[in-house]
Amino acid sequence: MTASPSSPARTQVSPTIGVLALQGDVREHVVALTAEGAAAVTVRRAAELAAVDGLVLPGGESTTMEKLLRAFDLFEPLRRRIAEGLPVYGSCAGMILLADRVEGATADQATLGGIDMTVRRNAFGRQVDSFEQDLLAPALGAGPDDPPLRAVFIRAPWVERAGEGVEVLARTRAPGDEGDGRIVAVRYGRLLATAFHPEIGGETRVHRLFVTMVRDATAVPRTHDRSS
Ligand code: GLN
């Protein structure tokens, strides 16, 4: 799929961005990426992974996604590509997969890692399984004068501790809530993660930032091995 020729001023490059298609809102992510000017493709095999400039990890269930990644022989190749600098955006379970440390993990749960943070699985769950909130997030194009970012949380994690160098892009804000002020969107180099699902309801500003990140990463001239 490619961007329509009339896409506003996003004509110079259409980076190829994959959506991991093992579980979750695959179609919605493809639609959001396409709307933001990327050439979106689904990824289920190592050869498909090798062909993308960036990857989206949709929400789902992080332990199941780990098992599926291993079953499809994608776990190690993806871990390697992340280490080599592949831009990746993880939503919800995808955020958990990108975390270096997980609270509330199952005994044998492993993550791909990459972001120096500790996330707490099902963090909001004790109070409520799913909820929506309008977020103020200037770094995601939702500043005080913009429409707020509509965020849908479904058995979502939050970021318990963000390491130095992790940029906090959004926090929840619901005075009095147990989840008040929790970190729910971060960026760490070429990795982006949100605890919420922006793809539900047509919010595309998170994808817009990610497409920009992928474009910037592909534009960087490399002095050595382009194949990484
Ligand atoms: N609670 C799920 C997990 O632990 C994530 C939920 C989601 O992705 N919507 O993986």
Side-chain angles (χ1 to χ4, degrees):
M1 239 175 273
T2 53
S4 83
S6 58
S7 290
R10 301 198 181 100
T11 45
Q12 68 295 39
V13 211
S14 281
T16 301
I17 302 185
V19 178
L20 184 71
L22 304 178
Q23 205 187 28
D25 292 337
V26 176
R27 207 183 61 84
E28 288 81 354
H29 281 290
V30 166
V31 168
L33 290 167
T34 305
E36 292 302 331
V41 296
T42 56
V43 168
R44 211 173 277 131
R45 300 162 194 276
E48 292 164 344
L49 175 63
V52 299
D53 301 316
L55 185 71
V56 173
L57 306 176
E61 208 287 321
S62 55
T63 60
T64 305
M65 283 179 74
E66 180 202 341
K67 289 191 184 90
L68 290 170
L69 280 166
R70 291 187 195 282
F72 282 77
D73 288 324
L74 283 169
F75 192 85
E76 288 306 329
L78 181 50
R79 214 199 311 237
R80 228 177 1 255
R81 283 214 68 192
I82 291 171
E84 289 167 354
L86 180 73
V88 180
Y89 162 46
S91 161
C92 203
M95 171 186 252
I96 296 170
L97 286 168
L98 289 176
D100 282 350
R101 294 166 298 279
V102 181
E103 299 268 1
T106 60
D108 57 351
Q109 183 170 5
T111 66
L112 297 159
I115 302 182
D116 177 17
M117 65 177 174
T118 304
V119 300
R120 176 171 293 282
R121 274 183 80 204
N122 303 324
F124 297 95
R126 273 160 296 154
Q127 195 171 23
V128 61
D129 271 356
S130 76
F131 62 98
E132 297 183 24
Q133 198 175 101
D134 285 337
L135 303 179
L136 179 71
L140 292 168
D145 298 328
D146 303 310
L149 195 80
R150 191 76 187 148
V152 180
F153 295 84
I154 305 167
R155 297 189 65 76
W158 67 46
V159 179
E160 189 94 12
R161 277 183 300 278
E164 237 175 90
V166 175
E167 191 187 341
V168 174
L169 305 181
R171 295 176 186 265
T172 53
R173 48 164 192 176
D177 269 15
E178 190 189 351
D180 186 22
R182 295 292 176 175
I183 300 170
V184 289
V186 295
R187 177 179 178 175
Y188 187 61
R190 291 178 179 177
L191 303 177
L192 177 68
T194 64
F196 53 88
H197 294 257
E199 78 283 1
I200 298 176
E203 172 63 63
T204 63
R205 283 170 284 183
V206 177
H207 296 80
R208 185 175 309 161
L209 171 63
F210 185 58
V211 172
T212 304
M213 287 168 60
V214 176
R215 224 177 245 140
D216 290 349
T218 51
V220 171
R222 291 175 190 250
T223 49
H224 56 273
D225 194 3
R226 178 64 184 84
S227 68
S228 66

